[in-house]
Structure formats: structure tokens, C-alpha cells
Amino acid sequence: MQARDTEPSAPRRRLLWSALSLLVITLLALLVWLANRFEVSQVQDRLERDASEAVVDIRAALTRNLQSLQKLQFHTPGSQPWRMETADLLRQRRELVRIEWRDSAKQVLAFLDSPYRAPVFNFLGRTGSGSDVGQTCEVARRLSGPAYSSSYFVLQSDVLGLELMDLCLPIMVAGRESGFLVVSYSLQDMLSEFVGSQYAHGREVSFTEGDGTRLAIDGAVRRVGREFSAKSLLELPGNTLVLRLNSWRRAPELFPNVLSALVAALALALTMILWLLGRDMRRRLRAERELADTLAFRKAMEDSLLTGLRARDLQGRITYVNPAFCQMVGFPAEELVGQSVDAPYWPPEYSEEYKKRQAIRLAGKVPPREGFESVFMRKDGTRFPVLIIEAPLINAQGAQTGWMSAFLDISEQRKVEELSRASQERLQATARLALVGEMASLLSHELNQPLAAIAGYAAGMRNLQQTSLLSDADAQLVVQRISEQAERAGRIIKSVHDFVRRRDQAREDASAQELIDAILPLLNLQARKLSVQVSLLLRPDLPRVHCDRTMVEQVLLNLARNGMQAMDEPGLWPRLLELRAQLINVEGVQWVEFSVADIGTGIDPEIEQQLFTPFFTTKAEGMGLGLSLCRTVIEQHGGTMRFERNQPQGTVFSFTLPCAESA
């Protein structure tokens, strides 16, 4: 019975062991298969990552080349400096086969070929190269930056050829396009120069088109085992290339994968350790990156400063100088760092004084925060004044490790101060004479018009009296007009006197109609004499202005008389003078604008620049003070005076006065 019970258990055990063995074998096979898949995926991922990093390196190299090429635009095309710098660039960058300078019409002005190969366009010429440079430069003009062309094949004399790609870079001078810089790249040399050995070693790297057509290839490998391939897009302005990496290797062997399964338990323990180490390393790397970024940021700030910086230790030795300080004194940093006494930028005549001052600083005496002035000497021996601001240099532990100094070159400030002082002295010397001349000129010029009006009224009254046509009413009117002009002359004398003394004048509110009505009788007399028609265009709802009525009336009268005299030309007809007044808004403030428009011969462009210059006149009997004084009066009221061409001919003079509410 027992035998019968045990016999069937043996096959059952064998079946269980077989199932267990099959399970173990299956698990091992699965482990091997997974390890194989993992290794394959690792190889493929590494290849794709390397392809992406290689594209980044190529793009960075193209950017560096672009920065170097941009320096060429500061030289005249074809000049010796341009050729020397271009030849040096071609020697340094083997991937560049040709550099051309073209004008705005894309015509070649100058070019140089790479010294490492025969000129690539000598066999078939530039026109047969297959590259549309004009189209590429149009894309660059539209982008306002560099543009790359599609690749093209150039046949050489040895029945071989090169795959090339052009770069077109617009050249801007004073904000305007002055030409193009056309650079031809060899795709083959780009692969060999730009793709690092860590990416290309044991691999085949190539440029391809979107359909897989290979344009250039670099590297030769033994094609055994399985092929791995990775692609990455190189996107450039105007063109896109595909970078392809190929690698061949044998399939993973069984033993290493089984061995990795045997050490899986140890790997679990090591994984935790590695995770901890990785976390610590990530923290360290993050801290290092932050420190590097901080140092780079601080270095960039120090290098971009116009202020010179200098650091000294507690023994007085120079430990750091920034580029601005080196440029200021003319010495390189290597000649300054480590100097203690008798610094090369100290003038010999002040050396002892500076030594004593340095000894006081090293003794711990803090200098004033506002700084102090000193004199330094450049390498060429010239002296220049500087403003020095010093402060203790404190480390992270709060201990003083030296002194930090900032230097400002105040040479230009001293020149400006000297020029200002000399100008003030000259102005003070001439102020009294100018005041006397201005008073005399103003009185003589401003009294001409009311005195001429009085003389005109008196002459008219005398003529009417001789013809016995003078009635009592007319005589009374003429006498009244003469009295008004006499009072006007008195007001002019008082206003001019106040004007010269530069004090606040008596101002009042007046309407535009009142100002024009006050001068209208004088205008009508002048208009009848010169056959001029006077037209008034005044809006009835204009606000009142705040002004000195006498001076503003004189401005209107001067501008109107100038306009009528500008039309006193034989054959000029009709003769129309328009006086306009309108409300304008300037930056939220309301002003009343007065305009006097004539249809005369206009103002010559040569005269426009001197129109408001005192004592400049085009009239034989003029004094050249009318327009200058008119503008001064308007500016004293806070307004502006200008002139422009009238259409179809003539000139329009206009000025603004503040509204009473705004004033």
C-alpha cells in the first residue's frame, strides 16, 4: 500500500520540479531577454542622446563662427585689415571654404578662399554652383539676421566634389543695410570639426536630407553585428539638416546578463547606496552650479562696469583689478597684481604722499564714505584726476581681509567745470553791455510803429485841413487816434523797460478779438497803402488769454506788417493777409494759437536757420530785432513761436498763449 502510495508521488515531484525548473528557466530567459532589451535600449538611448548633443555642439560652433564673422563688418571690404582678419579666420576654421563681401545688389566686392584646399568655385564658377545666394540673402534681409541656404554639390577638377551650404549675413551700418557677408561651409568639414570625438569615435556620422539621402559622411567603422541608428534635426534659419549617427556592435552575450541576474540582490543594496550618493552628488552639483552662476554673474557685472575696481590685502598687495581699472591706467592686470608700494600708476612727484596715505589705510583708519580725489598716471605718462572710494573688504566670517577701492575718472567733469567757469566769467563781463544795447535797440524798434502812426495821422489831418474838408468830428477823431498812439508809445516804453529788467510784467485777461481790434486801425492804414486785403478768422467761443496786452499787440502788429511787406512785389495779386485764432490742446493743456498767413514769396531755406537771430534782417531799412523780440515775448508768456510754409505759397507765422483758466 505504501509502495503504491509513494510511486505516484515521484512523478508528481518530478512534475513539480520540472514545473519549477521550467519556471526558473523561463524567469532566467525572461531576465536575459529583458537584460538584452535593456542593453539595446541603453545603446539606442545613448546614441540618440549623443546625436542631440552633437547637434547642440554644431549649433554652438555655428554661433561662435557667426560672432567671429560679425567682426569683419567693421573693416572696409577688400582692405588690408579685412583681408588679414578674414585670412586668419579661414586658417582657424577649416570648415569655412570661402568668405565673400557683397554689396546691397549682391555683387561680389571682395572674397577669400580657404588655404587648406583649392578654390572650390574655380572649376565651374560661382554661378554654376547650384546655390541661389540671392534668395538666401533675401531671406536674411527679411529675418534681419543670418540665413542658411540649402546644401548643394560643387564638382571639382578631380571629378570629385564637395557638398556645400551658404550663410548670408546682412551688414548693418548706422541702422541701414550696406551689404551682405556670404560664407560657404563644407558639410564634410563641419562633421569632422564640430562633432566631438566622444560622439564620432567608433561610429559613422553623416548629414542627410529628409528622405534619407546622404549629403556628407565622416568616420568609418566595421559593419559587424547589429546596426543602431539615431537622427536629430539641425534647424537653422532658412534650412534644416538631419544629423545621423550609425553604430554597429555585436548582440549582447548570455553570460554577462546571467551574471547580472546573480548579483541582483547585491545590486538592490548598492542601488540604495547609489541613490544616496546620487542625491548627495545632485545637491553638490546644484550648489556648484549656483556658485558658478553667481561667480559668472558677478564677473560679468565687474567686467561691464565703467568704474575701476581694485582689491588689496592687509599687507597692501594688489590682489584683483577689473578691466575698467586696467583700461583707465593703461597697465595689464599681470603688471598690477602683486604690487604693494610704488604702484606703476603713481606719479613720481606724489609717490611719498601716497605711501603715507596707504600706511594710514593699512593701520585701520576708515576713509570718508564720500571718497577723496587723487591724481593717477597712465602708462604713457599722462596724469588724470580720479575720485577714490574705499571700504573694508569683509569675508563670510565677518573678518576684514583687505580693502576694496572704486575709481572714477573725472577728467571730463573737470573739463566741463573749467568751460562752465570760463563761460560764466565771459557772460558776467558782457552782461552789462548787453543790457544797455538791448534797452536801446528795443526802444528804437518798438517806438517806430506808434510814432509812424502819429506822423501818419498828423499828415492826414494836415492834408484834409488844406483841402478844407476837415470837419470838427474828423479832427476830434484824428486827435483821439494820435492820443491813443502816444499812450501806446508810453506803454511800449514801460513794457520794454520791464522786459529788459526781466521782472514780472503786469498781465491781464483779454480776448483774441480785443487784441486784434486794438491793432486793426494800424493794419488797415498799412493795408490800404499796399493794396492788401485783411481777413479775420476768429472763433466766437475762444477763451480769454492771460498776457501783457501791449507786448502781445506789438507781436501781432509786427507779424502782420512783415506779412504785408512780404507781398509788396510787382505783379503779385491778389494780396491777402489772414489773421486766425483757434483753440488747441497740447498734452492736456489748452492754448489759444494766433496765426498770421500771407501769400508772398516765402522764405529762402538759407534764411530759415537765421530767421530769429538778433540783428539779422533782409530789409535795407530793418534792424533785425522784430522776430527775435517777438519770440522772446511769447516765450516769456510760456508759449512757443514757429513758422511754416503756406499752401500754395507764402508763409504762416503762429504763436501760442495760455488760456486764462490754465494760467
Side-chain angles (χ1 to χ4, degrees):
M1 225 19 226
Q2 293 177 354
R4 287 194 296 267
D5 292 338
T6 56
E7 286 179 359
S9 61
R12 189 180 298 114
R13 286 196 301 271
R14 286 194 296 270
L15 180 62
L16 291 176
W17 280 108
S18 299
L20 182 60
S21 300
L22 180 62
L23 179 61
V24 171
I25 293 173
T26 303
L27 291 176
L28 289 175
L30 180 62
L31 180 62
V32 171
W33 181 80
L34 291 176
N36 182 278
R37 293 289 299 174
F38 175 77
E39 186 173 356
V40 169
S41 65
Q42 286 290 97
V43 173
Q44 184 66 32
D45 291 344
R46 183 165 57 253
L47 193 64
E48 292 177 355
R49 184 172 62 252
D50 291 346
S52 300
E53 294 177 355
V55 166
V56 173
D57 291 346
I58 294 175
R59 187 176 290 110
L62 290 175
T63 302
R64 289 194 299 271
N65 284 356
L66 184 62
Q67 294 173 351
S68 300
L69 291 168
Q70 288 174 340
K71 298 178 181 178
L72 299 180
Q73 65 181 340
F74 299 106
H75 302 291
T76 303
S79 64
Q80 186 65 20
W82 184 85
R83 288 185 173 276
M84 291 177 61
E85 191 164 348
T86 303
D88 184 60
L89 184 61
L90 289 171
R91 284 193 299 270
Q92 295 177 7
R93 313 293 166 86
R94 301 178 68 94
E95 66 276 9
L96 304 179
V97 298
R98 185 184 177 98
I99 297 178
E100 298 176 350
W101 188 301
R102 300 195 176 203
D103 57 13
S104 298
K106 306 173 187 66
Q107 298 298 321
V108 178
L109 299 179
F111 71 91
L112 281 179
D113 290 292
S114 173
Y116 300 109
R117 63 174 74 247
V120 295
F121 298 110
N122 277 7
F123 184 62
L124 295 179
R126 181 64 164 167
T127 57
S129 64
S131 171
D132 191 354
V133 178
Q135 183 178 0
T136 305
C137 290
E138 287 299 325
V139 174
R141 177 181 293 167
R142 186 170 61 254
L143 296 177
S144 298
Y148 294 84
S149 70
S150 302
S151 63
Y152 58 93
F153 184 78
V154 178
L155 187 64
Q156 300 297 296
S157 59
D158 55 0
V159 197
L160 299 176
L162 291 173
E163 193 74 17
L164 302 181
M165 177 181 67
D166 289 336
L167 162 67
C168 186
L169 176 64
I171 299 174
M172 309 300 293
V173 176
R176 299 181 61 185
E177 178 186 294
S178 64
F180 300 92
L181 200 63
V182 179
V183 183
S184 298
Y185 278 92
S186 170
L187 297 186
Q188 180 73 30
D189 292 333
M190 286 176 60
L191 292 175
S192 60
E193 295 295 328
F194 291 170
V195 180
S197 59
Q198 69 272 23
Y199 305 134
H201 181 67
R203 298 171 179 170
E204 184 182 85
V205 58
S206 61
F207 279 128
T208 67
E209 293 183 343
D211 57 358
T213 304
R214 293 191 177 183
L215 303 175
I217 188 170
D218 185 59
V221 296
R222 186 179 179 187
R223 299 173 181 252
V224 294
R226 181 173 178 177
E227 179 183 3
F228 294 86
S229 178
K231 298 179 181 179
S232 184
L233 291 179
L234 175 60
E235 296 181 350
L236 302 172
N239 187 22
T240 300
L241 295 175
V242 179
L243 180 70
R244 181 173 179 175
L245 282 180
N246 290 338
S247 177
W248 284 267
R249 58 179 299 169
R250 296 182 183 276
E253 297 178 331
L254 176 63
F255 180 77
N257 294 323
V258 176
L259 183 61
S260 62
L262 296 178
V263 297
L266 182 61
L268 292 176
L270 292 176
T271 301
M272 192 64 175
I273 298 175
L274 292 176
W275 180 78
L276 294 174
L277 291 175
R279 186 179 64 175
D280 182 69
M281 185 176 296
R282 284 193 298 272
R283 290 179 178 176
R284 290 177 178 271
L285 290 177
R286 185 166 57 250
E288 290 176 359
R289 283 196 299 268
E290 292 176 355
L291 179 60
D293 292 342
T294 302
L295 292 176
F297 177 70
R298 183 173 300 175
K299 183 69 166 58
M301 287 194 347
E302 293 173 356
D303 292 347
S304 63
L305 286 176
L306 298 178
T307 303
L309 298 178
R310 179 196 66 189
R312 293 185 297 178
D313 58 17
L314 294 177
Q315 287 72 39
R317 292 186 297 267
I318 298 177
T319 58
Y320 168 78
V321 287
N322 71 336
F325 183 79
C326 296
Q327 185 178 4
M328 187 181 300
V329 298
F331 291 93
E334 294 77 11
E335 297 184 18
L336 297 177
V337 174
Q339 294 286 342
S340 177
V341 295
D342 291 332
Y345 50 84
W346 285 359
E349 61 271 20
Y350 298 123
S351 179
E352 294 300 325
E353 178 184 348
Y354 291 176
K355 289 179 181 179
K356 295 178 181 179
R357 187 170 63 193
Q358 181 173 340
I360 295 175
R361 294 287 180 271
L362 297 178
K365 184 176 180 181
V366 180
R369 295 184 61 86
E370 63 273 10
F372 57 92
E373 294 185 10
S374 185
V375 177
F376 279 179
M377 180 179 66
R378 295 188 177 92
K379 193 171 185 178
D380 58 3
T382 59
R383 273 68 167 170
F384 64 99
V386 293
L387 177 65
I388 305 176
I389 302 175
E390 288 187 328
L393 194 60
I394 308 300
N395 62 8
Q397 289 73 34
Q400 181 178 354
T401 60
W403 294 88
M404 193 68 189
S405 306
F407 302 87
L408 294 175
D409 187 349
I410 57 176
S411 302
E412 294 299 326
Q413 179 181 345
R414 290 291 175 266
K415 292 180 181 178
V416 172
E417 291 176 356
E418 291 298 328
L419 290 176
S420 177
R421 187 179 301 109
S423 299
Q424 290 293 334
E425 292 175 356
R426 288 195 297 269
L427 288 175
Q428 291 175 4
T430 57
R432 298 181 184 274
L433 293 177
L435 186 62
V436 174
E438 189 175 8
M439 173 69 80
S441 299
L442 283 172
L443 288 176
S444 61
H445 184 274
E446 298 299 336
L447 288 177
N448 278 338
Q449 293 173 352
L451 292 179
I454 292 174
Y457 282 128
M461 182 175 178
R462 185 170 58 253
N463 292 336
L464 292 176
Q465 197 172 26
Q466 291 175 355
T467 58
S468 301
L469 297 178
L470 181 64
S471 63
D472 293 340
D474 292 338
Q476 185 177 1
L477 179 59
V478 170
V479 172
Q480 181 181 352
R481 296 297 187 187
I482 292 176
S483 176
E484 290 176 356
Q485 293 304 318
E487 293 177 359
R488 179 179 179 79
R491 290 198 303 271
I492 288 175
I493 293 174
K494 182 177 183 302
S495 297
V496 170
H497 180 264
D498 293 339
F499 167 69
V500 173
R501 293 182 61 186
R502 297 293 192 272
R503 69 183 184 188
D504 292 339
Q505 300 163 350
R507 300 183 182 181
E508 56 183 315
D509 295 344
S511 65
Q513 187 68 48
E514 292 174 352
L515 295 174
I516 294 180
D517 287 345
I519 65 169
L520 198 55
L522 296 177
L523 289 183
N524 290 332
L525 286 176
Q526 186 82 4
R528 283 194 295 271
K529 178 180 179 182
L530 300 177
S531 300
V532 176
Q533 181 182 354
V534 179
S535 174
L536 302 179
L537 299 177
L538 306 177
R539 290 183 52 181
D541 56 344
L542 287 175
R544 301 173 71 84
V545 296
H546 187 70
C547 64
D548 184 338
R549 290 190 55 170
T550 303
M551 299 303 292
V552 174
E553 290 170 4
Q554 194 66 27
V555 171
L556 283 170
L557 186 58
N558 283 347
L559 296 179
R561 292 181 72 252
N562 288 345
M564 288 188 287
Q565 292 173 1
M567 295 184 289
D568 189 15
E569 295 288 339
L572 181 62
W573 192 263
R575 300 176 178 179
L576 177 63
L577 183 73
E578 289 188 357
L579 276 71
R580 299 189 292 261
Q582 60 180 349
L583 185 66
I584 63 173
N585 191 295
V586 179
E587 297 181 356
V589 180
Q590 289 187 338
W591 301 76
V592 176
E593 183 181 56
F594 293 83
S595 301
V596 179
D598 62 72
I599 55 174
T601 57
I603 302 173
D604 294 336
E606 297 81 7
I607 300 177
E608 290 181 356
Q609 301 297 329
Q610 309 179 59
L611 199 58
F612 293 104
T613 303
F615 302 107
F616 173 79
T617 180
T618 57
K619 303 175 185 177
E621 71 282 359
M623 298 183 61
L625 289 172
L627 291 177
S628 174
L629 296 177
C630 288
R631 186 173 68 172
T632 303
V633 169
I634 297 306
E635 290 177 350
Q636 281 191 337
H637 284 76
T640 58
M641 175 174 286
R642 61 186 179 89
F643 68 93
E644 59 186 355
R645 299 184 184 276
N646 194 11
Q647 297 298 332
Q649 67 178 20
T651 309
V652 179
F653 281 87
S654 59
F655 61 88
T656 57
L657 291 175
C659 299
E661 296 83 356
S662 301

